[in-house]
Amino acid sequence: MKTIRWLLALSLLLSLCACSAPKESETSAPAPTGYVGAQELAQAVLDSQAGGEGLSELTGEVRTAYLTDVCNILEGTWTEAAVYTADGVDARELILLRLSQKGDGEAVVQALEEHRQSRLGDFYGYAPQEAERLENALVMELDGYAALLVCEDVEAARSALEGALGGETAAPTSVPTPTPTSTPVPTPTLTPEPTPALDISAFVPFHPPGEYDMSLYDTTAIQQAWASGDESGLSEKDAAILAVCRELFDEHITDGMSDFEKELALHDALVRRGSYDAAVYDANTPHGRPDNTNPYGFLVEGYGICLGYATSFQLLMDLAGVECITVVGASLDSTQDHAWNMVCLEGEWYCVDPTWNDPTAWADVPEEDWDWCHHRYFNCTSEYMRESNHQWDYANVPEATATRFFWDGNGPLPQ
């Protein structure tokens, strides 16, 4: 799956607590009359948001390390801080810093903005809704404070912050329940059935073989150029990749297509365009030709190994607005590196293996046999993938159980 760097960094911060992490200054100037603390401001912002659960406060040395090591804010530029972050694929974040002196504001705001941009790159394409939150986030300096507000309702957060600094209390977002005129009948509390954890004890264990560098190609710049129409900042390779993507969309995508129809059309265009890099079978080039693990090799040069297929498919889905992830796993009882994709259609996950849908031995099959040869692993279940000797980090990848959009090239297309 796509790596979210800041989450990994945050997980490492817990180990810093035992070290001599720098402490926040305890010698700040006396609070002026009407002073409002960082924690009080943060609470006002939190109260302005509907559904604010899921945020955790960072405190002490963990908070300090997060600000200095993850946000790259220079120690000593703040005297008081409130920091709230979310776990998992959730971009929400609240940082409020009381500046040591007014002259620190520019540097702190710049660091917060760079932190926001870095996180945007991590979520872009992987979690579009979270990326949108970061695009709409607010970085500001106000009355001796610097703030980063990544939340559902940025304007409500801004108003709450300004109101709290002005001595006002933010109005709650929930509507108070009217006092009943008669004693209500108590509603029984129903405890939902817990979702059973996936039992992976019988699965073939996953151990990354480590034959290849399985890092994912960063397509953030390509996606941003696609959205904005401005390609001036692209590298030569990324510009070439984008040109091929535009060509494929012009040829195969039309208005009104469903996500499934776009997925199928782009999958087939991808598999027809390139082929597996046979150079890996040559003892002199065991890792094959350059760029065979990324979209440039596959889309532009016409060859790739599994990661080249998967990252190319991922990019096409990102540009089409179809939710997709790349699974970096293994095959053949965890003896060979392998990668494939998962797509989410109408709220349900499906597995797609573009590489294994393009069997080299069947590259020249007759057109009438093309569909069943090239869709054996198209929108199948996780169980089907396990049975066909795919291994991956089972506990941290969505489990695909739906069958509605499965199609193996036989029979009518799913509707």
Side-chain angles (χ1 to χ4, degrees):
M1 298 172 68
K2 287 188 173 179
T3 303
I4 304 180
R5 295 187 299 272
W6 78 277
L7 288 175
L8 295 178
L10 178 57
S11 67
L12 293 174
L13 292 178
L14 295 176
S15 64
L16 297 176
C17 293
C19 304
S20 56
K23 295 184 178 180
E24 296 174 21
S25 171
E26 298 176 355
T27 59
S28 56
T33 303
Y35 164 76
V36 183
Q39 191 57 54
E40 185 177 349
L41 294 176
Q43 191 59 55
V45 173
L46 292 172
D47 289 344
S48 74
Q49 302 297 302
E53 64 277 355
L55 287 169
S56 301
E57 182 182 7
L58 304 186
T59 60
E61 294 177 344
V62 171
R63 177 179 61 204
T64 303
Y66 184 79
L67 293 172
T68 56
D69 298 346
V70 178
C71 301
N72 293 317
I73 300 174
L74 186 64
E75 183 189 2
T77 56
W78 78 90
T79 61
E80 188 180 348
V83 179
Y84 288 80
T85 63
D87 295 328
V89 186
D90 188 335
R92 289 178 301 157
E93 183 173 20
L94 169 61
I95 298 178
L96 278 162
L97 302 174
R98 183 187 174 203
L99 301 170
S100 295
Q101 52 188 352
K102 188 173 182 179
D104 293 326
E106 182 177 354
V108 173
V109 166
Q110 181 178 346
L112 289 173
E113 173 59 22
E114 290 175 355
H115 174 61
R116 184 191 72 85
Q117 291 284 351
S118 175
R119 295 192 62 210
L120 176 61
D122 292 329
F123 282 103
Y124 206 96
Y126 173 65
Q129 291 181 334
E130 301 307 315
E132 184 177 0
R133 279 182 178 171
L134 285 160
E135 287 176 338
N136 297 330
L138 181 64
V139 177
M140 62 187 298
E141 180 183 357
L142 181 66
D143 291 348
Y145 277 90
L148 168 63
L149 309 176
V150 186
C151 49
E152 196 67 35
D153 190 338
V154 175
E155 286 307 313
R158 181 208 293 267
S159 297
L161 179 58
E162 293 173 346
L165 284 169
E168 301 175 7
T169 302
T173 56
S174 58
V175 179
T177 303
T179 303
T181 56
S182 59
T183 303
V185 177
T187 301
T189 301
L190 300 178
T191 303
E193 289 291 329
T195 302
L198 184 66
D199 182 7
I200 65 174
S201 59
F203 299 167
V204 176
F206 168 60
H207 304 292
E211 299 174 289
Y212 293 88
D213 178 2
M214 300 297 282
S215 302
L216 302 184
Y217 188 81
D218 186 359
T219 62
T220 302
I222 298 173
Q223 294 181 58
Q224 291 175 339
W226 173 275
S228 67
D230 180 7
E231 303 177 21
S232 59
L234 292 180
S235 67
E236 184 176 344
K237 283 188 175 181
D238 281 355
I241 294 170
L242 181 57
V244 173
C245 291
R246 293 194 187 283
E247 174 189 327
L248 293 178
F249 272 72
D250 288 344
E251 292 178 359
H252 302 284
I253 301 300
T254 58
D255 292 339
M257 275 186 161
S258 67
D259 282 353
F260 169 75
E261 290 169 334
K262 289 187 284 187
E263 178 208 8
L264 178 61
L266 291 171
H267 168 275
D268 289 4
L270 175 75
V271 173
R272 289 181 185 273
R273 184 173 186 87
S275 60
Y276 199 83
D277 182 15
V280 299
Y281 304 124
D282 187 330
N284 295 317
T285 56
H287 287 87
R289 289 175 282 184
D291 296 306
N292 64 4
T293 61
N294 64 56
Y296 182 82
F298 197 88
L299 294 176
V300 179
E301 299 294 341
Y303 59 80
I305 61 172
C306 59
L307 194 59
Y309 279 82
T311 54
S312 298
F313 183 77
Q314 173 79 56
L315 175 59
L316 293 175
M317 292 300 98
D318 289 340
L319 299 183
V322 178
E323 187 173 359
C324 178
I325 61 174
T326 297
V327 181
V328 174
S331 63
L332 305 179
D333 298 334
S334 282
T335 61
Q336 294 186 9
D337 287 309
H338 193 42
W340 59 95
N341 303 94
M342 296 184 73
V343 296
C344 188
L345 301 174
E346 298 190 13
E348 295 182 304
W349 287 100
Y350 299 83
C351 301
V352 183
D353 190 339
T355 311
W356 286 19
N357 280 341
D358 190 25
T360 304
W362 294 345
D364 299 319
V365 295
E367 187 66 24
E368 60 268 22
D369 293 332
W370 200 90
D371 278 340
W372 71 265
C373 285
H374 293 83
H375 297 92
R376 296 174 302 155
Y377 303 92
F378 187 78
N379 290 354
C380 52
T381 64
S382 296
E383 181 62 27
Y384 183 87
M385 297 291 278
R386 284 190 287 269
E387 291 174 352
S388 58
N389 216 335
H390 290 71
Q391 295 81 43
W392 64 93
D393 184 1
Y394 308 109
N396 292 302
V397 173
E399 180 74 1
T401 59
T403 59
R404 176 183 172 186
F405 290 106
F406 168 71
W407 190 60
D408 61 0
N410 294 296
L413 290 172
Q415 299 296 322

